[in-house]
Amino acid sequence: MSVIPKPSVPAPNIIRCASMELVVTDLAKSREFYVDVLGLVVTEEDENAIYLRSLEEFIHHNLILRKGPVAAVAAFSYRVASPEDVDLAEAYYKELGCRVERKKDGFVKGVGDSVRVEDPLGFPFEFFYEVDHVERLVWNYERHSAGALVRLDHFNQVTPDVPRGRKYFVDLGFRVTEDIKDDAGVTYAAWVARKATVHDTALTGGDGPRMHHVAFSTHEKHNILYICDKLGALRISDRIERGPGRHGVSNAFYLYLRDPDGHRVEIYTQDYYTGDPDNPTVTWDVHDNQRRDWWGNPVVPSWYTDASRVLDLDGNLKEIVKREEPSELEATIGADGFSYTRKGDKEQGFKLGNTL
Amino acid sequence: MSVIPKPSVPAPNIIRCASMELVVTDLAKSREFYVDVLGLVVTEEDENAIYLRSLEEFIHHNLILRKGPVAAVAAFSYRVASPEDVDLAEAYYKELGCRVERKKDGFVKGVGDSVRVEDPLGFPFEFFYEVDHVERLVWNYERHSAGALVRLDHFNQVTPDVPRGRKYFVDLGFRVTEDIKDDAGVTYAAWVARKATVHDTALTGGDGPRMHHVAFSTHEKHNILYICDKLGALRISDRIERGPGRHGVSNAFYLYLRDPDGHRVEIYTQDYYTGDPDNPTVTWDVHDNQRRDWWGNPVVPSWYTDASRVLDLDGNLKEIVKREEPSELEATIGADGFSYTRKGDKEQGFKLGNTL
Amino acid sequence: MSVIPKPSVPAPNIIRCASMELVVTDLAKSREFYVDVLGLVVTEEDENAIYLRSLEEFIHHNLILRKGPVAAVAAFSYRVASPEDVDLAEAYYKELGCRVERKKDGFVKGVGDSVRVEDPLGFPFEFFYEVDHVERLVWNYERHSAGALVRLDHFNQVTPDVPRGRKYFVDLGFRVTEDIKDDAGVTYAAWVARKATVHDTALTGGDGPRMHHVAFSTHEKHNILYICDKLGALRISDRIERGPGRHGVSNAFYLYLRDPDGHRVEIYTQDYYTGDPDNPTVTWDVHDNQRRDWWGNPVVPSWYTDASRVLDLDGNLKEIVKREEPSELEATIGADGFSYTRKGDKEQGFKLGNTL
Amino acid sequence: MSVIPKPSVPAPNIIRCASMELVVTDLAKSREFYVDVLGLVVTEEDENAIYLRSLEEFIHHNLILRKGPVAAVAAFSYRVASPEDVDLAEAYYKELGCRVERKKDGFVKGVGDSVRVEDPLGFPFEFFYEVDHVERLVWNYERHSAGALVRLDHFNQVTPDVPRGRKYFVDLGFRVTEDIKDDAGVTYAAWVARKATVHDTALTGGDGPRMHHVAFSTHEKHNILYICDKLGALRISDRIERGPGRHGVSNAFYLYLRDPDGHRVEIYTQDYYTGDPDNPTVTWDVHDNQRRDWWGNPVVPSWYTDASRVLDLDGNLKEIVKREEPSELEATIGADGFSYTRKGDKEQGFKLGNTL
């Protein structure tokens, strides 16, 4: 695929990933999952959409559940530093030749002047500054469950050509914090950040554009363990796809769930500070069995293969482009793949991954 | 197999599981694992044996590593309530027709008058009261690592006929706290206790006599997560066989490791109080996918199949008797087995266990 | 005071402290505190009484709130090992010359054949074996708050003559696990246990009989911190009397609250195993500033001076007998008292206790 | 005091608080405290100075201990975004009329081209971009103790006129995240941030310039509790000045220690994200008893009164200017002060603060 050029217009000053708009097929079921089980806070709702936020958020929402015929992602939404940055976003993507729409009153409730684009990787991105402030529930511990989700942490996108996407995000002002490569120079994934955490979004190599997951943070690891305990108590432990575990990449403690439509949600805590301009990029070998799980526990194949479709600005499913480079799943698991605990090791252990 | 009769002699008053004597093939390697990695405290050691204890222990040892040609278990050792109970143990097993040995000066350092038997299930058991008191490091936080092991919690034994073993332990005065069964009446495992926790030992159905694991406790769940993090840092994450996770049975948080000889060690925390005489026995359906892991994460096959050999009182390997009843592994995983998240469910999820 | 003789009748086999009956002056206010704030589970209730239990309990109740004109304690209730032990309790206290009442149908709901006594120290004690089993909520994590109280752990009683009370409890079969003394031989407090924790009850030297506190356990320390956070959020942080902190005695993590009537409730976690018959007794110097708080934080004077009155079997307040020996408060704080961080230290630090 | 004007030169783009240079009187004693007890990592050291960093740091140091005759602070050091920002810092402070020094090779090891100034509030500030990268120990869990300090979080400075200091920091590009005021308009303290946490530094009203504390972060609350447990085990619990507790301001979990020279060190974890430009400022009433400790526990007077002296660029102690506005200590504690749990409350509780 062609290289995405860097526009002559300055990039908008992006502050952070701020919200995702998810299309769900059964609003009541999704509400039960995100509100009753996970405890996200309802800012407002009607028969078509529910606006949710995490407990430490002061803007209107971090997640919109919108009723629709096909489960998909309608927008990855970023907050920018000023109203002028919305203008810059519009100009930036126009110069890139992308489809761009702007609404002075916003595309969704709670948000003002916004730009939505179909970005060069095929994803629906939104940029906004104006937003309603709502009650920040930092100190409202009486409303915090044992598994309290306190922040939206990041997105994760599936795209066929990771270096192409990486260049596009670097041009947009993101820092690359970590990546996964092999000795032949193939990049399997990359993590890019605007705020001072490991990522605001990540690029996972695969058929795309698709949404791999959206991640919320807890304060501590026991909060994540409690979510698992509660899912067991509710007899919906089969919503747990992978984890809990410790990531190699990002060093965060993690859990992956699947919502009633199969959208993947990560619960995440405790990565590290990356805010310095010369923050070192950490590169992992794709064959290092601790890269995805520091404890060497296996990655379930569905985690590599499944992801959510995304919509264009008309609400139609974006077509999928196949990845041409090797897949991480095949490179690391199964008959032709391999992973090591210690570089150079030949012997196989008894671990579950080896039996797949 | 024949029913084990209840002796006419009163059973000895057993206080708790107290120590295991492990035969290891490379004492230095085992020391590195148990002392340097896991942080057990050395009470004393010489070129043939290392006596280890947990941080809250006040008796001489909870684990003996003894150098030998073949990895195996030489003794499962229980503390009894008084010197007279050692006499009772001797009489009890003699009436059972077991081989019994008694040493007034003990079989190992730190312990006085003791009885060792080859019990009716084929296991080498020891009973003692007299023991050297040593410094209890409860308050010595300067010696507690982030993964501090504070107590020996329990043993777990593999035996072909679980109901036969269960009756034998009930006669010995153990309470049955939990078990795993199927609708046809097969018992796959049972947990039995003298102290007020879920078990001092458990019976796992399989070819036996073999030792399934020995378990140490931490104070909190994060201590267990740290042990995993440290194993990753030391690039020995392949010592993690299963977990960490939440058990259904016992409700404890767990982790299974394999030592350099393949002996299995569990790290365990937070089961519940079982000390009342009418403590209700909890029975789990073998097809309940949350029984072994409350979060529904799969059990690695080696966890079902591998176990350590045990020695007779002459130090020779005990012969293995095959289990004739169905195996839990086959009943629950693979082409012929099945597990459910919700009783009555037909559909299979995306979870790793389903792909094995 | 006269020594309490040991009866010729065997002592009843006490299993554990099981329940306290508290008289409260405003049932609705107390319900709000114990149920809405602390999350104890209502087993049953009517306009006069509320029966509460902790989340891992399988017997009918651990705490009864009964409406009455004066805040007090109506019963410290212990479970015994068999119906015959209720007979033994009756005979034991009759031989001691105590007032004894027996009700085949129990004094309270959920409990059968019971004995209540005014014991030699002036406390209303109850002994029972028969009890209704109720749902044990061990695995019902959907009902566990971030501050879940999982067990009743212990009582604490104020009595003028600690050695006198200690002898009485040792005769009853309790083990002394820890105590606080001075060089002159004065005992300020003692901890005694039947179950394998540091105590089922403790004796605190002071004007008595009075109830110092009743304690519930959490699984982990963060559960206790959350209770504090929630009390802050509800703007009732003034219910926190002392802590959270780490005890020297018992090594447990603790928090002391005061209920709407001023009854003191401790939240407690992670003491150590004491179930061996020769478990070493730990003696603390009353001047050791880490004995009550391992971090040396000061004990608020009210913690030493305030306690709840207790009732006789007719429901009248028991008269108070003054302590004649030195008080721990005066021995350790203020103009005439002193405490050290390191034995032998002369210098005073900047710590709050020094400014009282 | 006169208002500090805003220079016409753009402010340097400050990334974060990066390091403090402390003068200590006994280097060996300080090393024992910061390295052996607190576990900071030695980057390099000689007979005059020790360069320390936290476990997740990738720049050369976060704390310098330099041997000197009088305990004091030699520099509060900030990292800027580029080499050009060092030029801007020089110009900015020159325009302010401050004493400014620049060294192309840095004032300390590990750091290149730097500017040091005596700022308008009298503090020695340093600005640098060039710095040696060192090994980041994020994943080196084998080196993490149970109380691992992972980041430098913030400074705290004592200054007589908080609004004057606040304006100066706002001009420098800091966001004000929280403050403490009274109804009469007096400001007692303010928190200001460049990175997306609650502060890079705070201004505490009092006689100044003095350094109130320097703060390091842990991952979780139990890490801080462990530090207390360890200090107890080492019999240096009298290094704990205040806490552990939950702050109202910042919502962080905290602990204050005093080093061998009396320099105050905070251990801190889990404040909230503040990186949006319109992040709401939280204002606390000085009489709100939960502002400094969310649980209402009292603030020890020394915490208000004691602080470290600072040095000018010649290494001489800066003169102290007295605060003329009311002191927070007097406004809230003691005969003339008052604090409430619930706004409008008249009654006093039993809490320790009331007895001071």
Side-chain angles (χ1 to χ4, degrees):
Chain A
M1 269 175 281
S2 60
V3 170
I4 301 165
K6 180 169 185 176
S8 61
V9 187
N13 184 358
I14 295 171
I15 298 296
R16 56 159 168 150
C17 63
S19 174
M20 181 174 282
E21 182 179 341
L22 274 183
V23 180
V24 301
T25 58
D26 184 327
L27 200 55
K29 266 195 183 169
S30 294
R31 192 187 196 285
E32 188 184 11
F33 181 70
Y34 288 102
V35 179
D36 301 338
V37 177
L38 293 184
L40 288 175
V41 177
V42 178
T43 298
E44 65 178 299
E45 60 186 322
D46 57 30
E47 65 281 11
N48 292 313
I50 306 175
Y51 291 75
L52 299 171
R53 69 184 193 275
S54 54
L55 284 149
E56 295 189 357
E57 187 54 79
F58 74 97
I59 65 169
H60 188 265
H61 57 262
N62 299 128
L63 186 70
I64 305 172
L65 307 175
R66 185 176 303 285
K67 204 170 139 186
V70 181
V73 177
F76 298 74
S77 187
Y78 286 89
R79 191 153 195 224
V80 294
S82 70
E84 294 69 37
D85 287 296
V86 180
D87 301 334
L88 285 180
E90 186 177 22
Y92 192 87
Y93 283 93
K94 279 189 173 161
E95 185 172 337
L96 281 170
C98 295
R99 181 170 166 194
V100 176
E101 292 203 10
R102 183 161 187 172
K103 285 199 188 176
K104 288 293 173 186
D105 296 331
F107 294 83
V108 297
K109 291 186 184 175
V111 171
D113 184 19
S114 311
V115 162
R116 283 197 173 186
V117 308
E118 290 174 29
D119 87 353
L121 306 181
F123 290 92
F125 266 46
E126 180 182 71
F127 301 90
F128 72 92
Y129 171 75
E130 292 175 14
V131 66
D132 292 351
H133 286 206
V134 292
E135 193 186 7
R136 191 173 212 167
L137 301 169
V138 169
W139 290 267
N140 292 66
Y141 286 104
E142 81 285 2
R143 299 182 64 175
H144 290 222
S145 78
L149 304 185
V150 296
R151 287 197 274 278
L152 173 72
D153 191 84
H154 63 264
F155 307 138
N156 187 306
Q157 312 169 242
V158 186
T159 194
D161 184 337
V162 175
R164 184 171 178 264
R166 174 182 182 147
K167 185 217 176 268
Y168 155 63
F169 275 103
V170 168
D171 288 346
L172 257 175
F174 286 70
R175 300 179 312 284
V176 180
T177 55
E178 308 204 19
D179 56 20
I180 296 178
K181 294 185 173 175
D182 67 17
D183 289 345
V186 177
T187 302
Y188 293 85
W191 284 256
V192 295
R194 284 291 302 171
K195 63 176 159 32
T197 61
V198 171
H199 49 328
D200 283 280
T201 193
L203 300 171
T204 298
D207 306 344
R210 291 185 299 160
M211 187 276 287
H212 193 272
H213 64 263
V214 55
F216 290 90
S217 302
T218 63
H219 280 145
E220 300 199 334
K221 298 184 288 291
H222 62 79
N223 301 116
I224 293 182
L225 301 180
Y226 172 78
I227 292 171
C228 297
D229 289 338
K230 184 178 180 183
L231 292 168
L234 297 171
R235 285 284 162 181
I236 50 172
S237 62
D238 50 355
R239 291 217 177 289
I240 299 173
E241 184 185 31
R242 183 185 155 205
R246 167 80 65 191
H247 281 310
V249 173
S250 84
N251 195 41
F253 193 75
Y254 73 87
L255 171 72
Y256 292 99
L257 305 177
R258 300 290 287 270
D259 87 357
D261 283 296
H263 295 307
R264 187 179 287 108
V265 179
E266 183 177 14
I267 320 293
Y268 180 94
T269 194
Q270 289 164 19
D271 57 6
Y272 57 91
Y273 170 83
T274 66
D276 281 20
D278 55 347
N279 181 73
T281 301
V282 177
T283 293
W284 298 80
D285 180 353
V286 74
H287 297 294
D288 180 346
N289 195 43
Q290 295 187 185
R291 77 198 181 289
R292 290 284 187 186
D293 184 277
W294 185 244
W295 310 334
N297 282 333
V299 178
V300 58
S302 65
W303 189 90
Y304 284 120
T305 57
D306 296 2
S308 296
R309 300 292 297 272
V310 304
L311 302 181
D312 65 22
L313 296 191
D314 298 317
N316 300 315
L317 291 173
K318 283 292 282 193
E319 241 175 287
I320 300 285
V321 178
K322 287 199 76 67
R323 174 170 168 89
E324 288 166 15
E325 288 180 299
S327 93
E328 186 172 338
L329 173 60
E330 284 162 21
T332 58
I333 301 180
D336 301 322
F338 70 95
S339 294
Y340 58 78
T341 301
R342 289 159 296 275
K343 184 136 201 172
D345 267 16
K346 294 295 174 220
E347 39 168 335
Q348 297 284 326
F350 49 75
K351 299 207 62 152
L352 191 54
N354 297 319
T355 68
L356 284 171
Chain B
M1 270 174 279
S2 60
V3 169
I4 302 165
K6 180 169 184 176
S8 60
V9 187
N13 184 357
I14 295 170
I15 297 297
R16 57 160 168 147
C17 63
S19 174
M20 182 174 279
E21 182 178 342
L22 274 183
V23 180
V24 300
T25 58
D26 184 327
L27 200 55
K29 265 195 183 170
S30 293
R31 191 187 196 286
E32 188 184 11
F33 182 70
Y34 288 103
V35 178
D36 300 339
V37 177
L38 293 183
L40 288 174
V41 177
V42 178
T43 299
E44 63 179 300
E45 61 185 321
D46 58 30
E47 65 281 13
N48 291 313
I50 306 174
Y51 291 75
L52 299 171
R53 69 183 194 276
S54 54
L55 283 151
E56 295 190 357
E57 187 55 80
F58 74 97
I59 66 170
H60 188 264
H61 57 263
N62 300 127
L63 186 69
I64 304 172
L65 306 175
R66 186 175 305 285
K67 204 169 139 185
V70 181
V73 176
F76 297 74
S77 188
Y78 286 89
R79 190 154 197 225
V80 293
S82 70
E84 294 70 36
D85 288 297
V86 180
D87 300 335
L88 284 180
E90 185 177 24
Y92 191 89
Y93 283 93
K94 279 189 172 160
E95 185 173 335
L96 280 170
C98 295
R99 179 170 169 194
V100 176
E101 293 203 10
R102 184 160 185 172
K103 286 201 186 173
K104 290 291 175 187
D105 296 332
F107 294 82
V108 297
K109 292 187 183 174
V111 171
D113 183 20
S114 312
V115 161
R116 283 196 174 186
V117 308
E118 291 174 29
D119 88 352
L121 306 180
F123 290 93
F125 266 45
E126 180 182 69
F127 301 91
F128 73 91
Y129 171 76
E130 292 175 13
V131 64
D132 292 352
H133 287 205
V134 292
E135 192 184 8
R136 191 172 211 167
L137 301 170
V138 169
W139 291 266
N140 291 66
Y141 286 103
E142 82 283 5
R143 299 182 62 175
H144 290 222
S145 78
L149 303 184
V150 295
R151 288 197 274 278
L152 173 72
D153 191 84
H154 63 264
F155 307 139
N156 187 306
Q157 310 169 243
V158 186
T159 194
D161 185 338
V162 174
R164 184 173 180 262
R166 173 182 182 148
K167 188 225 174 261
Y168 155 64
F169 275 104
V170 169
D171 289 347
L172 257 175
F174 286 70
R175 297 179 315 284
V176 180
T177 56
E178 306 204 21
D179 56 20
I180 295 177
K181 293 185 174 175
D182 66 18
D183 289 344
V186 176
T187 301
Y188 294 84
W191 284 257
V192 296
R194 284 293 302 173
K195 65 175 158 29
T197 60
V198 170
H199 49 326
D200 283 280
T201 193
L203 299 171
T204 298
D207 306 343
R210 292 184 300 161
M211 187 276 284
H212 193 272
H213 64 264
V214 55
F216 290 90
S217 302
T218 63
H219 280 145
E220 301 199 334
K221 298 184 289 290
H222 63 79
N223 300 118
I224 292 182
L225 302 180
Y226 172 77
I227 293 172
C228 297
D229 290 337
K230 184 178 179 183
L231 292 168
L234 297 171
R235 285 285 160 180
I236 50 173
S237 63
D238 50 355
R239 292 217 176 286
I240 299 174
E241 183 187 31
R242 183 186 154 204
R246 167 79 66 189
H247 281 311
V249 173
S250 84
N251 195 40
F253 193 75
Y254 73 87
L255 171 70
Y256 292 98
L257 305 177
R258 300 291 288 270
D259 87 357
D261 283 296
H263 295 308
R264 186 180 290 109
V265 180
E266 183 178 12
I267 319 294
Y268 182 94
T269 194
Q270 290 166 18
D271 57 7
Y272 57 92
Y273 169 82
T274 66
D276 282 18
D278 55 347
N279 180 74
T281 301
V282 177
T283 293
W284 297 79
D285 180 353
V286 73
H287 298 294
D288 180 346
N289 195 43
Q290 294 187 185
R291 77 198 181 290
R292 290 285 186 188
D293 184 279
W294 185 245
W295 310 335
N297 282 334
V299 178
V300 59
S302 65
W303 190 90
Y304 284 119
T305 56
D306 296 2
S308 295
R309 300 293 297 271
V310 304
L311 302 182
D312 64 21
L313 298 190
D314 298 318
N316 300 317
L317 290 174
K318 284 291 282 191
E319 243 175 284
I320 300 286
V321 178
K322 285 199 77 68
R323 174 170 169 88
E324 288 166 14
E325 289 182 298
S327 92
E328 187 173 337
L329 172 60
E330 286 162 19
T332 57
I333 301 180
D336 300 322
F338 69 95
S339 294
Y340 58 78
T341 301
R342 289 160 295 275
K343 186 138 198 169
D345 266 16
K346 295 293 175 223
E347 38 166 337
Q348 298 282 328
F350 49 76
K351 299 204 62 149
L352 190 53
N354 298 318
T355 67
L356 284 170
Chain C
M1 271 174 280
S2 60
V3 169
I4 301 165
K6 181 170 186 176
S8 61
V9 188
N13 183 357
I14 295 170
I15 297 297
R16 57 160 167 149
C17 63
S19 176
M20 180 173 282
E21 181 178 342
L22 274 183
V23 180
V24 300
T25 58
D26 184 327
L27 201 54
K29 265 195 183 169
S30 294
R31 191 186 197 287
E32 189 184 9
F33 182 70
Y34 288 103
V35 179
D36 300 340
V37 177
L38 293 183
L40 287 175
V41 177
V42 178
T43 299
E44 64 178 301
E45 61 184 321
D46 57 29
E47 64 280 13
N48 292 312
I50 306 174
Y51 291 76
L52 300 171
R53 69 183 194 274
S54 54
L55 284 150
E56 295 190 357
E57 187 55 79
F58 74 98
I59 66 169
H60 188 264
H61 57 262
N62 299 127
L63 186 69
I64 304 173
L65 307 175
R66 186 176 304 286
K67 205 171 138 185
V70 181
V73 177
F76 298 74
S77 188
Y78 286 90
R79 191 154 195 226
V80 294
S82 71
E84 294 70 36
D85 288 297
V86 181
D87 301 334
L88 285 179
E90 187 178 22
Y92 191 88
Y93 282 94
K94 279 189 173 161
E95 185 174 336
L96 281 170
C98 296
R99 179 167 169 198
V100 175
E101 292 203 11
R102 182 160 186 173
K103 285 200 187 173
K104 289 292 175 187
D105 296 332
F107 294 83
V108 297
K109 290 186 184 175
V111 170
D113 184 19
S114 311
V115 161
R116 282 197 174 185
V117 309
E118 290 175 28
D119 87 352
L121 306 181
F123 289 92
F125 266 45
E126 180 180 70
F127 301 91
F128 72 92
Y129 171 75
E130 291 175 13
V131 65
D132 292 351
H133 287 204
V134 292
E135 194 185 6
R136 190 173 214 167
L137 301 170
V138 169
W139 290 267
N140 290 66
Y141 286 104
E142 81 285 3
R143 299 182 61 175
H144 291 223
S145 78
L149 304 184
V150 296
R151 287 196 275 277
L152 173 73
D153 191 84
H154 64 264
F155 307 139
N156 188 305
Q157 312 168 242
V158 185
T159 195
D161 184 337
V162 175
R164 184 172 179 263
R166 174 183 181 146
K167 188 225 175 259
Y168 155 64
F169 275 103
V170 168
D171 289 347
L172 257 175
F174 286 70
R175 300 180 312 284
V176 181
T177 55
E178 307 204 21
D179 56 20
I180 296 177
K181 294 185 173 173
D182 66 17
D183 288 346
V186 176
T187 301
Y188 294 86
W191 285 257
V192 296
R194 284 292 304 172
K195 64 177 160 30
T197 61
V198 170
H199 49 325
D200 283 279
T201 193
L203 300 171
T204 298
D207 307 343
R210 290 186 299 161
M211 187 276 286
H212 193 272
H213 64 264
V214 55
F216 290 90
S217 302
T218 63
H219 280 144
E220 300 199 334
K221 298 185 290 290
H222 63 79
N223 301 117
I224 293 182
L225 302 180
Y226 172 77
I227 292 171
C228 298
D229 290 336
K230 185 179 178 183
L231 293 167
L234 296 172
R235 284 284 161 182
I236 50 173
S237 63
D238 50 357
R239 291 218 176 287
I240 299 173
E241 184 186 31
R242 182 184 156 207
R246 167 78 65 189
H247 282 310
V249 173
S250 84
N251 195 41
F253 193 75
Y254 73 88
L255 171 71
Y256 291 99
L257 306 177
R258 300 291 286 271
D259 86 357
D261 283 296
H263 296 308
R264 187 180 288 109
V265 179
E266 183 177 12
I267 319 293
Y268 181 95
T269 195
Q270 290 165 19
D271 57 7
Y272 57 91
Y273 169 82
T274 66
D276 282 19
D278 55 347
N279 181 73
T281 300
V282 177
T283 292
W284 297 80
D285 181 353
V286 74
H287 297 294
D288 180 346
N289 195 43
Q290 296 187 184
R291 77 198 180 291
R292 290 283 186 187
D293 185 278
W294 184 245
W295 310 334
N297 282 333
V299 178
V300 57
S302 65
W303 190 89
Y304 284 119
T305 56
D306 296 2
S308 296
R309 299 294 296 271
V310 305
L311 302 182
D312 65 20
L313 297 190
D314 297 318
N316 299 316
L317 289 174
K318 284 292 281 190
E319 244 176 284
I320 299 284
V321 178
K322 285 201 75 68
R323 175 171 168 89
E324 288 166 14
E325 290 181 298
S327 92
E328 186 172 338
L329 172 60
E330 285 162 19
T332 57
I333 301 180
D336 300 323
F338 69 94
S339 293
Y340 58 79
T341 300
R342 289 159 295 274
K343 186 139 198 169
D345 266 14
K346 296 294 175 221
E347 38 167 337
Q348 297 283 326
F350 49 75
K351 299 206 62 151
L352 191 52
N354 297 319
T355 68
L356 283 172
Chain D
M1 268 174 281
S2 59
V3 169
I4 302 165
K6 181 169 183 175
S8 61
V9 186
N13 184 358
I14 295 171
I15 297 297
R16 55 159 169 150
C17 64
S19 174
M20 181 174 281
E21 182 178 341
L22 275 182
V23 179
V24 301
T25 58
D26 184 327
L27 201 55
K29 267 196 182 168
S30 294
R31 191 187 197 286
E32 188 183 13
F33 181 71
Y34 288 102
V35 178
D36 300 339
V37 177
L38 293 183
L40 288 174
V41 177
V42 178
T43 299
E44 64 179 300
E45 60 185 324
D46 58 29
E47 66 281 12
N48 292 312
I50 307 175
Y51 291 75
L52 300 171
R53 70 185 194 273
S54 55
L55 283 150
E56 295 189 357
E57 187 55 79
F58 74 97
I59 66 169
H60 187 266
H61 56 262
N62 300 127
L63 186 69
I64 304 172
L65 307 174
R66 184 176 306 285
K67 205 170 139 185
V70 181
V73 177
F76 298 74
S77 187
Y78 286 90
R79 189 152 197 227
V80 293
S82 70
E84 294 70 35
D85 288 295
V86 180
D87 301 333
L88 284 180
E90 186 177 22
Y92 191 88
Y93 283 93
K94 279 189 173 160
E95 183 172 337
L96 281 170
C98 296
R99 179 169 169 196
V100 176
E101 292 203 10
R102 184 161 186 170
K103 285 200 187 174
K104 289 291 175 186
D105 296 330
F107 293 82
V108 297
K109 292 187 182 175
V111 171
D113 183 19
S114 311
V115 162
R116 283 196 173 186
V117 307
E118 290 175 29
D119 86 353
L121 307 181
F123 290 92
F125 266 46
E126 179 181 73
F127 301 90
F128 73 91
Y129 171 76
E130 291 175 13
V131 64
D132 291 351
H133 286 206
V134 292
E135 193 185 7
R136 189 172 214 167
L137 301 170
V138 169
W139 291 267
N140 291 65
Y141 287 102
E142 81 285 3
R143 299 183 63 174
H144 290 222
S145 78
L149 303 184
V150 296
R151 288 196 273 278
L152 173 72
D153 191 84
H154 64 263
F155 307 138
N156 186 307
Q157 310 169 243
V158 186
T159 193
D161 184 338
V162 175
R164 183 171 179 264
R166 174 182 181 147
K167 188 225 174 257
Y168 156 64
F169 275 104
V170 168
D171 288 347
L172 257 175
F174 286 70
R175 298 179 314 283
V176 180
T177 56
E178 306 203 20
D179 56 21
I180 295 178
K181 293 185 173 174
D182 66 18
D183 288 346
V186 176
T187 301
Y188 294 85
W191 284 258
V192 296
R194 285 291 303 171
K195 65 176 157 30
T197 61
V198 171
H199 49 326
D200 284 280
T201 193
L203 300 171
T204 298
D207 307 342
R210 292 184 298 161
M211 187 276 285
H212 192 272
H213 63 262
V214 56
F216 291 90
S217 303
T218 63
H219 280 143
E220 300 199 335
K221 298 184 290 289
H222 63 80
N223 301 116
I224 292 182
L225 301 180
Y226 172 77
I227 292 171
C228 297
D229 289 337
K230 184 178 179 183
L231 293 168
L234 296 172
R235 284 284 161 182
I236 50 173
S237 62
D238 50 355
R239 291 216 178 288
I240 299 173
E241 183 186 31
R242 182 184 157 207
R246 167 79 65 190
H247 282 310
V249 173
S250 84
N251 194 41
F253 194 75
Y254 72 87
L255 171 71
Y256 292 98
L257 306 176
R258 299 290 288 270
D259 87 356
D261 283 295
H263 295 307
R264 187 180 290 108
V265 179
E266 183 177 13
I267 320 294
Y268 181 94
T269 194
Q270 290 166 18
D271 57 6
Y272 57 91
Y273 170 81
T274 66
D276 282 20
D278 55 348
N279 181 73
T281 300
V282 178
T283 293
W284 297 80
D285 180 354
V286 74
H287 297 294
D288 180 347
N289 194 43
Q290 295 187 185
R291 77 199 180 289
R292 290 284 186 187
D293 184 278
W294 185 244
W295 311 333
N297 283 333
V299 177
V300 59
S302 65
W303 190 89
Y304 284 120
T305 56
D306 296 3
S308 296
R309 300 293 297 270
V310 304
L311 302 182
D312 65 19
L313 297 191
D314 297 317
N316 299 317
L317 290 174
K318 282 294 281 192
E319 241 175 286
I320 300 286
V321 179
K322 286 199 76 65
R323 175 170 168 88
E324 288 166 16
E325 289 181 297
S327 93
E328 187 173 337
L329 172 61
E330 285 162 20
T332 57
I333 301 180
D336 301 322
F338 70 96
S339 294
Y340 58 80
T341 301
R342 287 161 296 276
K343 184 136 199 170
D345 267 15
K346 295 293 174 221
E347 38 167 338
Q348 297 282 327
F350 51 76
K351 298 207 62 152
L352 190 54
N354 297 319
T355 67
L356 284 172

